[in-house]
Structure formats: structure tokens, C-alpha cells
Amino acid sequence: MRRWLTLLVAATTSLVLIALLVPLALLVRTVAVSGAVSEAESEAESVAVVVGAVDTETLRLTAEQAEHPVTVFLPGGEVVGDPAPRSTAVELASRGRSVTAAAPGGREILVAVQGAPGGTAVVRVFLDDGRLTRGVPQVWAGLAALGLALVGLGVLVGDRLARAVIRPITALAGVSHRLAAGDLSARTVPDGPPEVHAVGVALNHLAERITGLLAEERESAADLSHRLRTPLTGLRLEAESLADPEEAARIEARVDALERAVTSVITEARRRGRERAECDAAAVTGARVAFWSVLAEDQSRHFTLDLAPGPLPVKVAADDLAACVDALLGNVFAHTPEGVSFSVRLEATGGGALLTVADAGPGFATPDPSQRGESGAGSTGLGLDIARRTAESAGGSLSLGASPEGGASVVLFLPAVTP
Ligand SMILES: Nc1ncnc2c1ncn2[C@@H]1O[C@H](COP(=O)(O)OP(=O)(O)OP(=O)(O)O)[C@@H](O)[C@H]1O
Ligand SMILES: [Mg+2]
């Protein structure tokens, strides 16, 4: 845009200058030519005055002293002064008409002198092209230099103006990208021309609105989760009134776990957005695998854990990453038979961390099992989509494939925390 504006100014300035300077240059040339011609005419007139009044020798001397080459054609055919051909214009002048005519290399000014002894004499003053346009090239060079200087000045002013417009627009684009990447604290300082200033104010307003709406969303999610507490309390009372104490204790333990889960959903929903999303991927993955290892032992599953040495900071909140690992390991336990082995590997890459969960089970049956709501096992079909969204919201990705043993393999790329 900056280049376009500068080019526009250069083109406009050039057009205006051409429209002004070209006629001015032609006028300068015309004035110079008419000045030189009238000067030569007055010289011819001054020689014409003495023709017939002085003898030939004095006439020659007068002609030689003149500034321009002067030739006098006397009526008898005698030529005095600078030798010159007797052109048709001279013939015309000898009939009594003073003329100015083009001649090779310049112009001849011809003054007819009537009343000379023996007929009409003709005084010829020759003006070469150099004298005709004396000083014109210098004036033209001056005009061209002035034109170039003005175009240069125009381009400079245009560039400054373009920069003043583009700087705030670039800043606006930067803030929009930060907002799109999830940094809701991004705001711009409105600047530049009124229209761009107004866009800056509107963008800040939009950011405030998005932040407000998300906060409301979180609060309503917390409220909705809170409603689960009432039926849970009812369930707890029912459990307590069971006759079999062992069964009562078992159901109470389940209700406790469910209540803890609801509480964590409420606090988690309210916490989001206030904290900067980042965690140590090595610590979170290690903790979740340790949790699942108990169940793996119960189901006689052999597993390998290959953890890169921490800390491995990634742009995902600890709870979100824990939910991802749980979803992936939960899938291994839900969709592969007992006894099937699996592996978890976390490695550091240049831009973040790569988490791979692979198993030796039957592998994915459908081409895109991460479709939200699609379950091949009668479940909710959310696990892989939650993992994908978590990775993508941080700027990472999820990819599905096959493990070397022919089972399922899920690779999660989590970008590193940027300072
Ligand atoms: N390790 C795996 N081995 C074989 N198939 C798998 C594996 N993980 C996922 N799948 C397939 O991908 C589908 C989608 O998985 P996803 O976790 O998104 O949903 P789900 O497990 O069916 O439901 P939810 O996770 O919500 O309880 C599963 O239904 C299953 O068919
Ligand atoms: Mg699942």
C-alpha cells in the first residue's frame, strides 16, 4: 500500500508538472526566437539607413562592424559584406518587400531599401540557429531540474503520509492476530487518520466484548455444573439409607468421586481465562501415566513410558493437557482388548513438545475418528476432538495414524511457551 501511495503521488505530480512545464518551455523558446529576430531586424534597419548615402567601401566597413553577418545586395548585382547566395527570398525582397525566411542553418532577415540609386537594394542579416535559441537549453535544463526536484519532494511527502497511515493499520493487524490466537489481553492504541483511529477503537471494543462474553459463558457453565449438586445430594442420601453397608460404602465412594469431578468442573470453568495457559508437559504426562498405570496392571497391559527430561513448557493449561492424556489413554483402555500393550512418548522438538500415544490393538476402523460426536463404540465421541481442540487452540495439531504393531497411534504437537 505504501508503494502504491508513493507511486500515485509520483504519477500525479509528474502529470501536473508536464502540463505546466512543457508549455512553459515552448513559450521560453518562442520568446527567445522573437527577441533574436527583432534584434537582427533593428540591425538590418540601421544598415539600410546608410545604403545609398555612403560609398561602397564605407558600406562594407559598416557591414563588417555589425554583430551578425550582414550582406547588402546592391541594385546593380554587386554584393557587399558577408558573402551569401542570392536566394528566392532575396529576389522577393528586391521587389520592395521586407521578409524573414528560413535559410540553411538559420534564418535570413531581409530589408528592402527603396530609393537607392539604380533600384531596390536588399540588406540581409543572417541569424544562425545557435543565436536564434541563445540561452534556451540552459533555461530548459533549469526547468527539468526544478521538475525532478518537485517530483522527488512529492514522492517524499507521499511516502511519509503513507507510512503514517500504514503504521496503525499494521498494528491493528497484529492485535487481530493476537486476539485470534487466543490472547484476549491484546489491545491497540488507536492512532492514525480518523477512519483508522475508529477501527482501532472498534477493535478494542470487540476484544472487550469477546472477553466479557467468554467470562459470562464460563460463569454459566459453572452454574450449570452446580445444578448437578442437588441430584448428587439426593443420591448420597439414597446410598446412606441402603441396607447393605458394603454396597452403601461403594456407592458413597462413587458419589464422592462424582462430586469431586463436578467441583473441579466448576472451579475449572471459573478459573479459565484468568490464568496464562502453560504447563510443564513432562510433569503432567508423567503424573497421568502414573495414574493409568494402576489400571494397566489390573488389565495385564504392558506399557512403555519415554519421557523427555523436563521441564518442557508448552502453551496448554495443566488441566487441559491432563484431559488430553486421559482421553488418549482412556481410548486405549476402551477400544483395545485387555492385555494389549501401549506406549507413551514425549519428546522435545524445536518449537514445542510431541506427545505420541500408540497401542498394539486393532487400530482405527474409520478414516477420521476424531469427528466430534462420532463414536465407533457407542460412547459420546468427544475424546479425540477434545484433544485436537486443545492442541489447535494453542497453535498445535493432532494427527492420527498406525503404530508399528498395527494399532492406533495419536500424535499431539504442543507449541512451546513464547516469552
Ligand atoms: N486406541 C484406539 N484404538 C482403536 N480405535 C480407537 C482408538 N481410539 C479411538 N478409537 C476410535 O475412534 C473413535 C473416536 O474416539 P473418541 O475418543 O473421539 O470417542 P469415543 O472414545 O468413542 O467417545 P468418548 O471418548 O467421548 O468416550 C472411537 O469410537 C473408536 O472407534
Ligand atoms: Mg474416547
Side-chain angles (χ1 to χ4, degrees), residues 16 35 66 69 117 139-140 191 208 227 238 244 299 302 305 323 326 350 364 387 390 395:
V16 171
V139 175
W140 281 8
D191 193 11
E208 291 293 345
R227 287 191 207 164
E238 291 287 331
D244 180 355
Q299 294 193 357
H302 172 258
L305 173 63
D326 284 351
F364 293 113
T390 305

Side-chain angles (χ1 to χ4, degrees), residues 102-127:
R107 253 186 229 199
E108 50 187 8
I109 317 300
L110 301 162
V111 174
V113 187
Q114 283 160 341
T120 305
V122 176
V123 177
R124 175 189 189 262
V125 173
F126 180 69
L127 267 177

Side-chain angles (χ1 to χ4, degrees), residues 331-332 335-336 359 362-364 369 374-377 379-385 408:
N331 276 352
V332 174
H335 305 301
T336 67
D359 63 59
F364 293 113
E374 298 277 315
S375 173
S379 189
T380 45
L382 296 182
L384 289 176
D385 185 64

Side-chain angles (χ1 to χ4, degrees), residues 115-187:
T120 305
V122 176
V123 177
R124 175 189 189 262
V125 173
F126 180 69
L127 267 177
D128 64 34
D129 287 333
R131 277 180 180 260
L132 264 175
T133 55
R134 195 164 47 185
V136 172
Q138 288 84 338
V139 175
W140 281 8
L143 287 177
L146 178 71
L148 284 177
L150 287 177
V151 170
L153 190 69
V155 167
L156 198 73
V157 172
D159 185 60
R160 281 288 153 95
L161 266 174
R163 257 202 291 179
V165 175
I166 284 157
R167 204 176 355 92
I169 293 180
T170 314
L172 281 179
V175 171
S176 312
H177 286 309
R178 279 176 60 201
L179 285 172
D183 179 5
L184 292 179
S185 65
R187 296 288 183 277

Side-chain angles (χ1 to χ4, degrees), residues 81-373:
D82 192 46
R86 200 177 173 89
S87 63
T88 46
V90 175
E91 286 299 335
L92 188 65
S94 66
R95 283 183 220 131
R97 243 182 92 187
S98 298
V99 288
T100 299
R107 253 186 229 199
E108 50 187 8
I109 317 300
L110 301 162
V111 174
V113 187
Q114 283 160 341
T120 305
V122 176
V123 177
R124 175 189 189 262
V125 173
F126 180 69
L127 267 177
D128 64 34
D129 287 333
R131 277 180 180 260
L132 264 175
T133 55
R134 195 164 47 185
V136 172
Q138 288 84 338
V139 175
W140 281 8
L143 287 177
L146 178 71
L148 284 177
L150 287 177
V151 170
L153 190 69
V155 167
L156 198 73
V157 172
D159 185 60
R160 281 288 153 95
L161 266 174
R163 257 202 291 179
V165 175
I166 284 157
R167 204 176 355 92
I169 293 180
T170 314
L172 281 179
V175 171
S176 312
H177 286 309
R178 279 176 60 201
L179 285 172
D183 179 5
L184 292 179
S185 65
R187 296 288 183 277
T188 182
V189 180
D191 193 11
E195 293 79 3
V196 182
H197 188 281
V199 175
V201 173
L203 183 65
N204 282 348
H205 182 63
L206 181 68
E208 291 293 345
R209 187 77 188 110
I210 293 172
T211 313
L213 282 176
L214 281 179
E216 279 173 27
E217 258 329 286
R218 281 192 297 272
E219 290 304 329
S220 67
D223 290 353
L224 286 175
S225 310
H226 196 265
R227 287 191 207 164
L228 289 172
R229 282 187 187 285
T230 315
L232 271 177
T233 313
L235 200 58
R236 180 186 297 285
L237 292 176
E238 291 287 331
E240 280 170 0
S241 62
L242 278 175
D244 180 355
E246 202 177 303
E247 196 178 359
R250 199 159 43 82
I251 293 181
E252 262 179 62
R254 298 278 180 200
V255 171
D256 280 346
L258 200 53
E259 206 165 55
R260 274 199 301 279
V262 169
T263 307
S264 100
V265 166
I266 294 171
T267 47
E268 176 62 12
R270 303 200 68 227
R271 181 191 62 81
R272 270 167 200 264
R274 291 186 214 140
E275 278 176 19
R276 193 177 142 96
E278 66 176 75
C279 70
D280 174 9
V284 173
T285 310
R288 291 325 294 161
V289 173
F291 172 82
W292 285 93
S293 64
V294 181
L295 196 55
E297 214 170 290
D298 281 355
Q299 294 193 357
S300 323
R301 289 177 186 266
H302 172 258
F303 73 93
T304 54
L305 173 63
D306 186 2
L307 267 189
L312 204 54
V314 291
K315 264 202 298 195
V316 177
D319 285 316
D320 289 341
L321 180 56
C324 283
V325 179
D326 284 351
L328 301 184
L329 288 176
N331 276 352
V332 174
F333 283 82
H335 305 301
T336 67
E338 284 191 22
V340 167
S341 60
F342 63 95
S343 66
V344 178
R345 193 168 74 212
L346 181 77
E347 50 192 324
T349 65
L354 219 51
L355 174 68
T356 310
V357 176
D359 63 59
F364 293 113
T366 52
D368 186 12
S370 67
Q371 282 279 62
R372 189 172 175 83

